Amino acid sequence: MNVINSNYWKKNLVLFALLLGLVLYDLTLGSFLIGFPDIFNGVFNYDSSSTEELTVRIFRFPRVVTAILSGAALSIAGLLMQTLFQNPLAGPYVLGINSGSSLLVAISTMSSFYIFGSDLGIVAAAMIGAFGAGLFILFCSVYVKNKISLLLIGIMFGSFAGALVSVIQAYADPNNLKTFMLWSFGSLQGVAFNQLGILALVVAIGVFLSVVLVKPLNLLLLGDKSASLLGVNVKAIRFLIIVATSILTGVITAFCGPIAFVGLVVPNMVKVIYKTTNHYHLLSGSLLGGALLIVVCDIAMQLLLPYFNLPLNALTALIGAPVVMWIIMKKF
Amino acid sequence: MDNNEEILMLTFQDLHIGFGVSKGAITKIKRKELRVLFTSENLTFKPGEFVAVIGPNGSGKTTLFNTILGHQEPLSGAIEIQGKIWKDLDKMEKAKHLSFVPSKFNGVDHLTVYDLVAMGRAPYTNMLNKLTEEDQLVIQKVLVQLGLTNFVNKNTINLSDGERQIAMIGKALSQEAEIMILDEPTAFLDYNNRRKVLQLLKEIAKVNNQIIFISSHNLELCFEYCSRVVAIDANAKQLLDFSAPFDKEKIINKVF
């Protein structure tokens, strides 16, 4: 058993080293190249008179940190959903959390309820939407026996919210419509330097909760009845899994918009690469793998800046899908 | 398992098994019609017994198991284990006394046989599911007892049905629970594996001092390997108790 364990730590180390290297590289990229001394100063010895340091502090550093946090959070949320529903096609959005966010953002940007017009207002609207959707699903999870029913409720709620968004879009002013569309493309630039702390804290809470759930997650693999007979309180664990997913998905959707693809694909890839069902290793793998994927997408985005300005959501699938297909074909 | 002084006893006390029990005050469900499937007088089961539950389809075998497992409540009467009322025990406690093997397991990808058997240690491990020395010793002992040492690192998806069934029994054994329940364990096995599994269970009941319940439609094998047969007479709605040696004709005529 010990030999197998060290195999996982080696893989973690490789992923971490890769991540570190790419993060440092990503920090230099942007509309103009910035060297490492300026990056270091921009974060730690801030001098607002230097353009480079200003750029690092306001744009680069938040962008890269947001990339890491969003990739990690969404992948872990995806892993939780895949284990809860025992379905490799489940992702963090399967419970309809981001549909709630979407709906409230649509209302705040495109309808006459113009209370939250500003940037911070959009974040607030998305948070409230995610929170509301989360509460609704939690409420349902207490009263619904079958978790497949819960999955269906989440999907129906998502469809309903999506339909309402379409209605709002049909009557919206073209400028407002564009604002909403840009939000729905996903962006890593939406977080200010002083907001990074809050984002990191909330993601950390979600990750911590997931770590606490490792043992019950492992036992859920054999089904609810077997898990229950091994001492797992299935209803309570289901509740906590949904809380963790809501926290992770909600906060990322609030600050970055809905980022597609990551939460669905990274946990599956981690399972293929790590070849284990132990969530202790799957969590660390998803964390590193998710962060890696988004950072790679951000690098691609920056490198393509002079030619195209591609939305994040497009890039995640454009880069991710071929990688996934390559891994699958290599395995089979 | 280390109580040498007390003998563990599982008792059925004036049990009425069925379904349609109305729920408590939380949800206001209309009182459903109570349907009794069978009743039982006071019965006691001791460690070392290998008991088969037989009866026609629909007589209540699965309901009985569900009641013992705690998924349902008896309509009246109680199941007691070592004097304590069964349904009052908390989940962790129950897991240390009772283990269950379903009739079919399709395997989980990347779950090795070792991992599967190790899952049975869950009621004893800490929050991070760390396996202590003692846990690993128990797992090793189970693997040796069941002859699984050559399959230890095999993916459960790649096993044959017989090997998977034995691996599942391994998981139940590593729980070190005094009572083991198997729901139609031989239903999906071929002729050789059926005899192999039942022989294994018979030995386990004696060697590990456990009470093993199986339900089965394979009457010949039950009569051959089990020490006790509990039969549900669907007409009289009664639970009949027979010990070895069995008068096969009489039992079959009464029950079927």
Side-chain angles (χ1 to χ4, degrees), chain A residues 1 4 145 211-212 215 218-219 221-222 225-226 228-233 271-272 275-277 280 331, chain B residues 23 69 71 91-92 95 100 105 108-111 114-116 119-120 122-123 125-127 129 171 175:
Chain A
M1 257 327 244
I4 304 175
K145 273 195 190 164
V211 170
V212 164
K215 180 174 164 179
N218 283 345
L219 297 175
L221 285 174
L222 294 179
K225 281 205 168 162
S226 293
S228 173
L229 288 166
L230 284 170
V232 175
N233 184 344
K271 281 176 200 160
V272 168
K275 293 199 194 353
T276 178
T277 51
Y280 189 55
K331 189 193 177 198
Chain B
K23 299 242 192 261
L69 288 171
H71 294 138
K91 269 203 152 47
M92 276 302 180
F100 177 69
F105 171 53
V108 173
D109 208 2
H110 301 306
L111 185 70
Y114 189 90
D115 290 336
L116 178 61
M119 271 190 182
T125 59
N126 68 0
M127 206 176 69
N129 215 12
K171 166 180 150 282
Q175 256 179 277

Side-chain angles (χ1 to χ4, degrees), chain B residues 87-102:
Chain B
K87 57 186 167 106
D88 291 339
L89 292 177
D90 79 16
K91 269 203 152 47
M92 276 302 180
E93 277 289 306
K94 278 203 187 129
K96 290 185 186 174
H97 290 301
L98 183 64
S99 58
F100 177 69
V101 177

